[in-house]
Amino acid sequence: MGLHHNGSTGSGPEVDEDEDEEAAALALKILVAGGFGVGKTTLVGAVSEIRPLRTEELLSEAGQLVDDTGGVDQKTTTTVAMDFGRITIRSGLSLYLFGTPGQDRFWFLWDELSQGALGAVVLADTRRLEDCFPAVDYFEHRRIPFVVAVNCFTSARRYASNEVARALDLEQGTPVVLCDARDKDSGKEVLIRLVEYAGRMHTARLLASVGSGARTGPE
């Protein structure tokens, strides 16, 4: 991300204000991950200010042999590549959302989608909490900041955030938030929480690397 200079020297061409604002705008890449049927497509669709791109296909009999539909019996489609949407958090800050497929056989796409991501939202369903373990492990091992967002289904038992954190054995400080993936405001709050957390994590890592370099550098 380069610095943009909008000062005038008096002799160069004038900079159009609209172009200047466009250049100064910041777009961040966010992943939305989690198990099969947890609500990733729903979340992206609820918060996106553009018509979301979806790559859903009807569940086939062959797919039902490998996809565990327990607890999501009414689900008839599945994401086979990714969901894509965009939301403006505030003036000059937009988030590009990439919903990842939840089934094991599509995990090869995760490495491509995670390139350049600021962080991730791991959606969880307390009826099938173990389904989000792979996503948690993936982001922890790659040191990608993430928050766990518990999608509060009507039929699911409610648990406190600290109970979910203990059940998932999350690293200390990893945020756990309760949400309704169908509600735009609820989804937006999750994304704001992620941006704030990821910003703190990246800043702390940058300061740590600078401090380490100063200690090991030439005297």
Side-chain angles (χ1 to χ4, degrees):
M1 181 174 64
L3 295 176
H4 182 78
H5 177 64
N6 60 2
S8 173
T9 61
S11 57
E14 294 185 0
V15 178
D16 184 270
E17 291 184 0
D18 291 336
E19 292 180 359
D20 185 55
E21 291 178 0
E22 182 178 351
L26 182 61
L28 303 174
K29 181 179 182 181
I30 301 295
L31 301 186
V32 180
F36 175 68
V38 77
K40 300 181 295 293
T41 297
T42 300
L43 176 65
V44 173
V47 302
S48 180
E49 61 198 16
I50 62 173
R51 183 177 180 178
L53 169 67
R54 292 174 175 169
T55 57
E56 289 195 311
E57 295 291 343
L58 290 173
L59 286 171
S60 64
E61 291 184 6
Q64 289 175 350
L65 296 177
V66 293
D67 295 332
D68 179 11
T69 58
V72 286
D73 303 327
Q74 296 179 347
K75 184 172 176 60
T76 59
T77 61
T78 182
T79 298
V80 296
M82 68 174 183
D83 299 311
F84 173 77
R86 185 190 71 201
I87 179 174
T88 300
I89 296 297
R90 57 172 173 76
S91 178
L93 176 59
S94 297
L95 304 182
Y96 290 95
L97 309 176
F98 292 81
T100 64
Q103 302 95 311
D104 298 11
R105 65 185 185 278
F106 295 126
W107 283 351
F108 67 92
L109 293 171
W110 286 31
D111 287 336
E112 292 292 333
L113 291 175
S114 65
Q115 292 295 320
L118 174 78
V121 173
V122 175
L123 271 177
D125 178 354
T126 56
R127 300 170 301 178
R128 297 155 50 104
L129 197 59
E130 67 279 0
D131 287 2
C132 70
F133 284 156
V136 169
D137 289 341
Y138 182 91
F139 297 122
E140 283 186 344
H141 290 159
R142 287 160 180 79
R143 302 187 70 217
I144 297 175
F146 68 95
V147 301
V148 173
V150 179
N151 193 8
C152 297
F153 289 91
T154 304
S155 60
R157 178 182 172 183
R158 298 296 178 95
Y159 293 89
S161 297
N162 62 328
E163 293 178 295
V164 175
R166 284 198 303 269
L168 293 175
D169 194 23
L170 297 177
E171 294 181 354
Q172 186 175 3
T174 302
V176 176
V177 294
L178 307 182
C179 75
D180 182 344
R182 303 166 298 179
D183 183 75
K184 180 176 182 177
D185 290 336
S186 179
K188 186 175 180 179
E189 286 301 316
V190 171
L191 295 171
I192 290 174
R193 184 75 176 273
L194 169 62
V195 170
E196 293 173 344
Y197 174 65
R200 293 195 301 270
M201 291 293 291
H202 285 295
T203 298
R205 291 171 184 172
L206 177 61
L207 292 175
S209 65
V210 171
S212 176
R215 290 192 298 271
T216 58
E219 295 184 357

